[in-house]
Amino acid sequence: GAAGGAGGGGGAGGTVAVLDVGCGDGAALPYLCEAGADAARYAGLDLSSRMLRAARASHPGVRFEQGSFLTAAAAAPPAQYDAVLFNGALQFFGDQRAALRRAAALLGGRGRLVLAHANGAAFVRDEAARNPQTVLSTMPSLEEAEEIGSELGMRLLTPHQLGVPGAAPGGEADAAALDGFYLLALEKAGPEE
């Protein structure tokens, strides 16, 4: 599932540090914790004070910060996260490569950038066509994500590799799966790779 893309841990009481960009009301936090995230090492970041009020009410004691990913303290180097999650948020960045470069700089070890949208790439393309002032870009294609990963020294994990239902090995099957449920990850290479 989407949370499984966040890190390598599993179960409650995880150890994975996560920055959740565009966290909204914090709805992903329980799923992230189920997949190995540590709520004490989680930082949720959002522009909306209303959404963050809801997040803080639902998850007392968890770090939520209001601000832009490009300027917020939670997203300032040398912060070290195991995963930086863009769940339903990447399309709001006009320069996705710059956002992902910044996110990659925040990763430690074999960290992952997780790019997700529950409604899929087709929904985002439609949303961008109808509201280009708000939706500044579309979700990266497999080819674009692989290229970005290469620029960042990271390897692409496809929908099939991440266990997305309906995804199958091979570019066409994975690309088709992204239209309905978008999930890709870029993973830092280990020292031996």
Side-chain angles (χ1 to χ4, degrees), residues 6-7 25 41 59 71 73 88 117 120 128 165 187:
D25 64 3
R41 298 180 66 210
H59 309 287
T71 59
H117 199 294
E187 183 176 66

Side-chain angles (χ1 to χ4, degrees), residues 27-108:
L29 181 58
Y31 303 102
L32 292 169
C33 289
E34 206 175 281
D38 179 356
R41 298 180 66 210
Y42 168 95
L45 183 61
D46 206 284
L47 292 171
S48 169
S49 59
R50 182 179 60 80
M51 294 302 272
L52 290 171
R53 275 193 302 279
R56 290 180 184 116
S58 297
H59 309 287
V62 174
R63 180 180 180 188
F64 291 99
E65 185 177 330
Q66 184 175 2
S68 164
F69 173 68
L70 302 177
T71 59
Q80 292 290 299
Y81 295 99
D82 300 302
V84 177
L85 172 64
F86 292 86
N87 182 23
L90 192 60
Q91 72 272 24
F92 300 115
F93 290 88
D95 187 346
Q96 292 179 343
R97 288 175 191 259
L100 294 173
R101 266 193 307 277
R102 180 176 174 90
L106 301 172
L107 294 172

Side-chain angles (χ1 to χ4, degrees), residues 38-193:
D38 179 356
R41 298 180 66 210
Y42 168 95
L45 183 61
D46 206 284
L47 292 171
S48 169
S49 59
R50 182 179 60 80
M51 294 302 272
L52 290 171
R53 275 193 302 279
R56 290 180 184 116
S58 297
H59 309 287
V62 174
R63 180 180 180 188
F64 291 99
E65 185 177 330
Q66 184 175 2
S68 164
F69 173 68
L70 302 177
T71 59
Q80 292 290 299
Y81 295 99
D82 300 302
V84 177
L85 172 64
F86 292 86
N87 182 23
L90 192 60
Q91 72 272 24
F92 300 115
F93 290 88
D95 187 346
Q96 292 179 343
R97 288 175 191 259
L100 294 173
R101 266 193 307 277
R102 180 176 174 90
L106 301 172
L107 294 172
R110 292 182 62 97
R112 287 183 180 179
L113 301 179
V114 181
L115 317 178
H117 199 294
N119 294 319
F123 173 86
V124 174
R125 285 191 301 272
D126 184 54
E127 193 179 37
R130 286 182 293 125
N131 194 356
Q133 291 77 30
T134 302
V135 181
L136 304 178
S137 57
T138 58
M139 302 304 288
S141 67
L142 278 174
E143 296 77 21
E144 291 166 332
E146 193 154 31
E147 186 179 298
I148 292 166
S150 179
E151 290 170 11
L152 298 174
M154 302 176 82
R155 77 181 182 108
L156 176 67
L157 300 176
T158 65
H160 172 72
Q161 292 169 308
L162 294 169
V164 172
E172 286 183 33
D174 271 336
L178 291 175
D179 268 349
F181 180 83
Y182 191 96
L183 179 65
L184 291 178
L186 297 172
E187 183 176 66
K188 285 179 73 174
E192 71 284 350
E193 294 178 67

